[in-house]
Amino acid sequence: LETALSPSGSDELSFYLVSPVVASETVVNAFYAVLAAAVGIFFYVWWAFRNVPGPFRYGLAAIAALIHDAVIVIGIFAILGVVADIEVGTMFLIAILTVIGYSVNDTIVVFDRLRENVLLYPNRSLEANANLSISETLGRSLNTSLTLLFTLLALLLFGGQTIREFLLVLLIGVVVGTYSSIGVASQLLIAWESGDLRRVFRKRATTTSAPS
């Protein structure tokens, strides 16, 4: 094609490369953005669940699920950077914040139903109310996530190249966020309430301090 259409040679009009300086700035900005979002979400959830016992635990459980989602997405892209030579840019930062918002939204749906059940059935254990709440919101969470996944897949297959990285982050984040809202946040809240976390940390501290 070059010989037939451009015998005198061809000139490259543009070339895009993420420099190490820009990449390091993206990492720092992503950290600060996630930190700011986590602090704001924690205080909001703490205030919204002030009518139930231990409202700060709901906030910390939501933050733990948020961090879980962000770490998994970043880890997958770190692997893809080595395997598929995928570079991250500002679109990656925007997508991470979008994933965080979706994950927290799904987690709050489960927690809100849990709050209603705790107030309606105060004599039930928190474990029983959590199981009931997850069962009541499971269909809604899966239907919402599947609908969004189909849309993202269509955009990923037929959309433009410029938003493909953004869509890939969202695709991974939706799957991870749906799982964390059902299988991480509520379980962490129950483990904290029942004292399982305290026993785990106490056992680990005892094992660490024991002489070899």
Side-chain angles (χ1 to χ4, degrees):
L1 289 175
E2 182 177 345
T3 303
L5 301 178
S6 180
S8 60
S10 60
D11 296 328
E12 187 173 358
L13 299 179
S14 64
F15 180 74
Y16 179 76
L17 177 66
V18 179
S19 69
V21 175
V22 176
S24 62
E25 290 179 354
T26 303
V27 172
V28 174
N29 291 335
F31 173 77
Y32 285 130
V34 171
L35 181 62
V39 172
I41 290 168
F42 169 73
F43 283 109
Y44 169 75
V45 175
W46 190 355
W47 176 82
F49 289 83
R50 62 191 182 278
N51 295 327
V52 296
F56 68 95
R57 297 183 179 181
Y58 289 79
L60 289 179
I63 296 305
L66 178 154
I67 295 174
H68 165 273
D69 299 342
V71 168
I72 287 184
V73 173
I74 293 173
I76 291 177
F77 263 77
I79 297 174
L80 291 177
V82 177
V83 176
D85 198 23
I86 294 180
E87 295 180 344
V88 298
T90 54
M91 292 296 292
F92 179 81
L93 173 59
I94 298 172
I96 284 290
L97 293 177
T98 307
V99 167
I100 288 174
Y102 177 83
S103 172
V104 171
N105 175 71
D106 211 16
T107 301
I108 288 180
V109 169
V110 180
F111 279 0
D112 192 58
R113 185 55 60 89
L114 177 58
R115 176 180 59 179
E116 293 177 358
N117 289 329
V118 167
L119 296 177
L120 286 175
Y121 309 104
N123 295 326
R124 283 183 181 175
S125 64
L126 186 61
E127 292 89 343
N129 282 323
N131 288 332
L132 177 62
S133 303
I134 292 174
S135 300
E136 291 174 344
T137 57
L138 183 61
R140 179 262 179 200
S141 297
L142 293 180
N143 290 334
T144 303
S145 300
L146 286 175
T147 304
L148 184 56
L149 283 176
F150 290 144
T151 305
L152 292 175
L153 283 174
L155 289 173
L156 189 64
L157 294 175
F158 305 108
Q161 182 68 31
T162 56
I163 61 171
R164 185 154 296 178
E165 174 190 314
F166 177 79
L167 295 173
L168 186 58
V169 176
L170 288 185
L171 192 67
I172 299 172
V174 166
V175 176
V176 177
T178 304
Y179 161 74
S180 68
S181 62
I182 298 173
V184 175
S186 301
Q187 282 69 16
L188 182 61
L189 181 65
I190 298 302
W192 192 354
E193 184 71 22
S194 61
D196 290 340
L197 291 179
R198 186 166 53 252
R199 286 191 290 269
V200 168
F201 286 123
R202 187 180 303 167
K203 182 178 179 181
R204 178 167 294 183
T206 304
T207 305
T208 304
S209 60
S212 56

